[in-house]
Amino acid sequence: MKRRGIRLTALLSAVAVLLTGCSIPQKDTTKYKVASVTDTGGVNDQAFNQLAWEGLVKFSEETGAEVSYIESKQASDYMTNLDRATDGFNDLSLASMYTGCVTSV
């Protein structure tokens, strides 16, 4: 009975080593993907949209993160652009908007 337990333990250990060695590589999570959604002022509005974008660019330079922005041309674009930002598999979606766009959520 004792030998059987030792053999079973050895077999399970060998299987665990094989499964660990053949595992699927995991996604590299050290690089972040961030998207910013602006209001109708755009990223060159010399106000909060521009400051938010400049902050993201600096973040990208310091960390190597991939940053992008989506400009809303009119108020009705806000929700669509927020959906686009979240559908883009971003780690963070930033909304820098002055007007209350979240009233129709």
Side-chain angles (χ1 to χ4, degrees), residues 10-61:
L11 178 64
L12 290 175
S13 297
V15 169
V17 168
L18 286 173
L19 289 176
T20 303
C22 299
S23 65
I24 298 171
Q26 298 297 316
K27 177 187 170 193
D28 181 16
T29 57
T30 57
K31 187 167 185 174
Y32 296 101
K33 188 174 176 186
V34 182
S36 175
V37 178
T38 70
D39 70 356
T40 56
V43 293
N44 294 318
D45 67 350
Q46 298 180 356
F48 58 90
N49 288 318
Q50 185 171 349
L51 290 173
W53 176 243
E54 289 172 1
L56 282 178
V57 170
K58 185 174 181 180
F59 175 73
S60 174
E61 291 168 354

Side-chain angles (χ1 to χ4, degrees), residues 30-104:
T30 57
K31 187 167 185 174
Y32 296 101
K33 188 174 176 186
V34 182
S36 175
V37 178
T38 70
D39 70 356
T40 56
V43 293
N44 294 318
D45 67 350
Q46 298 180 356
F48 58 90
N49 288 318
Q50 185 171 349
L51 290 173
W53 176 243
E54 289 172 1
L56 282 178
V57 170
K58 185 174 181 180
F59 175 73
S60 174
E61 291 168 354
E62 292 175 358
T63 65
E66 180 183 333
V67 296
S68 61
Y69 65 87
I70 303 170
E71 289 184 334
S72 301
K73 301 298 180 193
Q74 54 192 7
S76 61
D77 295 339
Y78 296 156
M79 295 308 290
T80 304
N81 289 342
L82 287 170
D83 284 341
R84 283 181 45 207
T86 56
D87 290 345
F89 300 103
N90 294 296
D91 296 305
L92 176 68
S93 297
L94 173 69
S96 57
M97 299 173 191
Y98 179 71
T99 56
C101 71
V102 190
T103 55
S104 62

